[in-house]
Amino acid sequence: MLAKAIATEAGANFINISMSSITSKWFGEGEKYVKAVFSLASKIAPSVVFVDEVDSMLGRRENPGEHEAMRKMKNEFMVNWDGLRTKDRERVLVLGATNRPFDLDEAVIRRLPRRLMVNLPDATNREKILRVILAKEELAPDMDLQAVANMTDGYSGSDLKNLCVTAAHCPIREILEKEKKEKALALAENKPVPALRSSADVRSLNLDDFKYAHDQVCASVSSESANMNELLQWNELYGEGGSRKKKLLSYFM
């Protein structure tokens, strides 16, 4: 989403590539596909070439189990990435996203001049995310999204979306239970089954719905997990304002 936003704000064309789009069972085809991607990006410049889960494509080349074709494809990608084959007026930006930056090849890290860590949102940003997710939903007049943001410490944007979906199920569940009771009562009294309720009968979301959802949906990322600690330490070394002169980490040895 950030990569699409960057391309939109810059007025650039967006090219999203993955392993399946540039790999082939034929030896040497991968390098041709990589070259074709950068050739296309140059022709439609300004453009943004985005690689999601970049560690799967541009991981460490010293991996003993890696195939020779994969190594050649990485080399071809980095040769085109250098910009030596492009003209001065061609504006091509390469973006990559990964949850495991410590698996990237050293040459890839060197070609990424800006390495930004997108951390978990704080309370203010969580409230903004909730307002975007619930923009088209009917909320109770006394609904306090700031209170929901304060109770969701450590939640990511995806967790907040799951929280809202779970909370939205509460009014629907109430209607279904009410229809079930009315149908059972009508059958017991030999009366016609009442008509099903419409969307106009769905009540607005209130704070109790989000409290119930909070008990059902927990944060998917722990701020004290080993992976998060590795990300923070990697960011101190290689991230924005980082320095490799600091104390080396054990998993880089």
Side-chain angles (χ1 to χ4, degrees):
M1 293 174 65
L2 287 173
K4 289 182 179 180
I6 291 172
T8 302
E9 291 293 326
N13 295 297
F14 186 75
I15 302 176
N16 183 18
I17 62 175
S18 60
M19 284 291 295
S20 61
S21 61
I22 62 173
T23 53
S24 173
K25 65 179 180 179
W26 304 110
F27 193 81
E29 287 292 320
E31 296 94 291
K32 293 182 180 179
Y33 292 155
V34 169
K35 187 176 180 179
V37 168
F38 280 91
S39 177
L40 173 63
S42 299
K43 290 180 180 178
I44 62 174
S47 57
V48 173
V49 178
F50 177 62
V51 186
D52 197 9
E53 301 300 339
V54 67
D55 59 289
S56 64
M57 182 185 301
L58 301 174
R60 296 180 181 272
R61 286 175 289 180
E62 59 267 21
N63 186 1
E66 188 176 66
H67 195 271
E68 180 184 359
M70 189 66 186
R71 182 188 297 268
K72 289 185 176 181
M73 189 185 68
K74 292 179 182 179
N75 293 338
E76 180 69 21
F77 192 97
M78 286 186 283
V79 167
N80 286 273
W81 193 352
D82 270 333
L84 295 176
R85 298 180 179 177
T86 58
K87 299 178 181 178
D88 295 337
R89 296 182 179 179
E90 295 175 352
R91 293 178 295 168
V92 178
L93 176 66
V94 178
L95 292 177
T98 178
N99 290 325
R100 300 187 61 84
F102 31 80
D103 290 340
L104 292 175
D105 192 87
E106 294 288 336
V108 175
I109 298 175
R110 190 163 56 247
R111 286 169 171 80
L112 291 169
R114 300 290 298 275
R115 297 175 287 271
L116 307 175
M117 180 177 178
V118 182
N119 212 333
L120 295 174
D122 55 11
T124 304
N125 288 318
R126 286 197 298 272
E127 183 179 355
K128 293 179 180 179
I129 293 173
L130 288 171
R131 292 189 183 279
V132 171
I133 297 175
L134 300 171
K136 297 181 180 180
E137 301 296 329
E138 292 187 6
L139 303 179
D142 58 344
M143 182 64 199
D144 188 4
L145 291 180
Q146 185 177 1
V148 179
N150 292 332
M151 73 171 66
T152 53
D153 185 27
Y155 280 55
S156 64
S158 178
D159 298 333
L160 292 175
K161 182 178 180 181
N162 294 334
L163 179 80
C164 294
V165 171
T166 304
H169 286 164
C170 293
I172 304 298
R173 190 180 295 111
E174 290 179 3
I175 287 181
L176 293 177
E177 292 177 355
K178 188 177 295 184
E179 287 181 348
K180 185 177 180 181
K181 291 180 180 178
E182 291 177 352
K183 182 179 180 180
L185 182 62
L187 293 175
E189 297 178 354
N190 293 324
K191 294 182 178 180
V193 178
L196 298 177
R197 299 179 183 270
S198 62
S199 58
D201 299 322
V202 180
R203 64 170 177 80
S204 303
L205 294 175
N206 54 39
L207 188 59
D208 292 335
D209 297 331
F210 286 91
K211 289 181 179 179
Y212 168 81
H214 182 262
D215 295 334
Q216 305 297 322
V217 179
C218 61
S220 60
V221 180
S222 174
S223 59
E224 300 178 355
S225 63
N227 187 51
M228 182 60 69
N229 291 331
E230 289 180 353
L231 285 173
L232 293 173
Q233 293 175 9
W234 190 92
N235 186 56
E236 291 179 0
L237 283 178
Y238 298 92
E240 191 78 2
S243 173
R244 296 193 184 191
K245 295 181 181 180
K246 296 180 181 179
K247 185 178 179 181
L248 292 178
L249 306 181
S250 59
Y251 55 82
F252 284 124
M253 302 302 291

